Amino acid sequence: MYAIHCMNNISTVGTDALASAGYDFVDDPAKADAWLVRSANLHEIETPQSLLAIARAGAGVNNIPVERCAERGVVVFNTPGANSNAVKELVICGMLLACRDVIGGIEWVRDAVDDPQIAKRAEKAKKRFAGCELAGKRVGVIGLGAIGAQVADALIALGAEVMGYDPYLSINAAWGLDRRIEHATDLEQLLAACDFVTLHVPATDSTKGMISADAIAHMKRGAVLLNFARDALVDEQALAEALDDGKIARYVTDFANPASANMKNAIVLPHLGASTGEAEDNCAVMAARQLRDYLENGNITNSVNYGRVDLGPLVDDYRIALFHQNAQGVIGQLSQVVADAGLNIENMSNVSRGSAAYTLVEVNAPVPEEAIERLAALEHVRRVRVIAPSA
């Protein structure tokens, strides 16, 4: 059976599921077939040749060298949606904290705790913390993936007017959104129209610094910005200046760093978004399930560096998993090697993502070592795996 190494503490709900299926857990990452990880930085860690997969118990994978793994035929999984409810609830909490100065009110009471006239004074002081209601406000949701869509739907239920922006929104995701959510055709349109703006996009080359000085200039004066996605999405110097000026009334973020911690009118949380017990359990279970399906069947679900492949469970046949460059002629060469080995292709799936391609072939008999060596020697091939049915 396969060996797993946990780079971080992973919920036992997930690890127990693997252990009960016969998987071993090893302390030495070099002796593992797969790694489970949460926040550990893997960019400076050398991946052993034996490593087949890395499963991130969470959505973001900026702590993993995704492209380098793709070049070596190491599948990187994440768990989109597993922690979305936890993040959604905290985003709504952040909006309410920005609407009503709950924190200021709590601090006032704490400072006046020894005053016998606290109740009487509170009636006069409360006006300072009253704030406004979220219902009726226009909220812009940037990114309508698993988390953003749940945030948008929850805001509709709370009586807010919601405008969504996501140029990569899939048809299936669009069908799941509340019909009352207004669609923004460009980012500037949303920024100019909304009282609250909340970010729910990954940190990529195209999104880093998307809330720039220019973007802030398009926002309504006195708007509130929420960031529970990644701190890299925001030009923090420009935002600090906007907070000082009052252009932005509040910044609510889940990313504490020297810049955000020193911002005026910022509510900064210590990365609590996906830290509930339920979210950690959900992520661990999803990560474990995806690892098992890949290691035992060759199927790939929710990989960030290889496309989705699903040939179902492996029963009696054998499977060849071929990682290769997305180059012309590879499939034909694979078919020829299989035919020369006297094997019949029962099923096959091929997907590509950028320059990385993955082909899973089901054949009717054991694959000879000579055929494996021939496949590994092909020009564009990065890795060859043969998966046998379990006894």
Side-chain angles (χ1 to χ4, degrees), residues 2 52 292-299 314-323 358-363 365-367 372 384-390:
Y2 297 98
L52 300 175
R292 280 199 66 185
D293 196 23
Y294 170 64
L295 293 174
E296 298 174 24
N297 302 308
N299 298 324
L314 180 59
V315 182
D316 297 321
D317 292 325
Y318 293 75
R319 287 178 181 170
I320 302 170
L322 198 72
F323 295 86
Y358 178 65
T359 303
L360 186 62
V361 178
E362 189 164 294
V363 295
V367 183
I372 299 172
V384 181
R385 282 187 68 209
V386 173
I387 308 164
S390 59

Side-chain angles (χ1 to χ4, degrees), residues 68-365:
R68 192 174 77 207
C69 288
E71 292 169 1
R72 300 182 64 171
V74 177
V75 183
V76 178
F77 297 95
N78 68 346
T79 56
N83 58 18
S84 57
N85 186 70
V87 179
K88 174 204 73 178
E89 290 185 0
L90 195 62
V91 171
I92 299 301
C93 174
M95 287 191 186
L96 296 174
L97 290 175
C99 284
R100 313 285 292 273
D101 190 7
V102 176
I103 296 173
I106 291 171
E107 291 175 346
W108 183 92
V109 172
R110 186 176 291 121
D111 291 341
V113 68
D114 295 324
D115 187 347
Q117 300 297 316
I118 186 172
K120 184 176 181 179
R121 287 181 56 205
E123 289 303 313
K124 294 181 180 180
K126 66 182 183 182
K127 292 181 181 179
R128 286 186 280 164
F129 316 113
C132 65
E133 297 182 13
L134 184 57
K137 301 299 184 295
R138 175 163 285 193
V139 183
V141 181
I142 300 175
L144 294 166
I147 295 172
Q150 287 199 29
V151 169
D153 287 342
L155 288 167
I156 289 288
L158 289 171
E161 298 178 8
V162 181
M163 178 180 286
Y165 172 74
D166 191 335
Y168 305 106
L169 182 66
S170 69
I171 294 176
N172 287 338
W175 276 108
L177 292 172
D178 191 292
R179 61 181 178 81
R180 290 168 289 181
I181 296 171
E182 182 182 351
H183 176 231
T185 56
D186 63 70
L187 182 59
E188 292 181 2
Q189 175 194 6
L190 180 147
L191 295 174
C194 293
D195 305 297
F196 292 78
V197 174
T198 180
L199 306 177
H200 300 287
V201 296
T204 64
D205 290 340
S206 62
T207 62
K208 287 179 180 178
M210 66 183 298
I211 304 301
S212 60
D214 182 63
I216 292 170
H218 283 87
M219 295 177 69
K220 293 176 68 173
R221 186 166 190 85
V224 174
L225 177 66
L226 297 99
N227 182 8
F228 287 77
R230 283 291 181 268
D231 52 4
L233 302 176
V234 176
D235 180 336
E236 292 181 319
Q237 181 177 346
L239 178 60
E241 293 173 359
L243 287 165
D244 288 338
D245 176 67
K247 169 70 174 180
I248 303 299
R250 286 277 192 177
Y251 178 48
V252 188
T253 181
D254 204 21
F255 304 102
N257 61 43
S260 63
N262 286 284
M263 287 180 185
K264 177 183 177 182
N265 292 327
I267 299 172
V268 184
L269 305 178
H271 206 189
L272 299 178
S275 296
T276 65
E278 296 90 339
E280 291 182 4
D281 287 350
N282 292 340
C283 288
V285 168
M286 183 182 288
R289 185 182 299 123
Q290 291 168 176
L291 271 184
R292 280 199 66 185
D293 196 23
Y294 170 64
L295 293 174
E296 298 174 24
N297 302 308
N299 298 324
I300 294 178
T301 304
N302 291 330
S303 170
V304 296
N305 58 357
Y306 281 96
R308 178 183 174 87
V309 168
D310 186 2
L311 294 187
L314 180 59
V315 182
D316 297 321
D317 292 325
Y318 293 75
R319 287 178 181 170
I320 302 170
L322 198 72
F323 295 86
H324 54 94
Q325 290 178 315
N326 186 18
Q328 187 176 5
V330 175
I331 303 303
Q333 292 175 313
L334 166 64
S335 300
Q336 187 61 57
V337 172
V338 169
D340 290 346
L343 303 172
N344 185 56
I345 295 177
E346 304 290 339
N347 203 352
M348 182 172 70
S349 181
N350 166 259
V351 293
S352 61
R353 177 170 291 174
S355 63
Y358 178 65
T359 303
L360 186 62
V361 178
E362 189 164 294
V363 295
N364 62 330

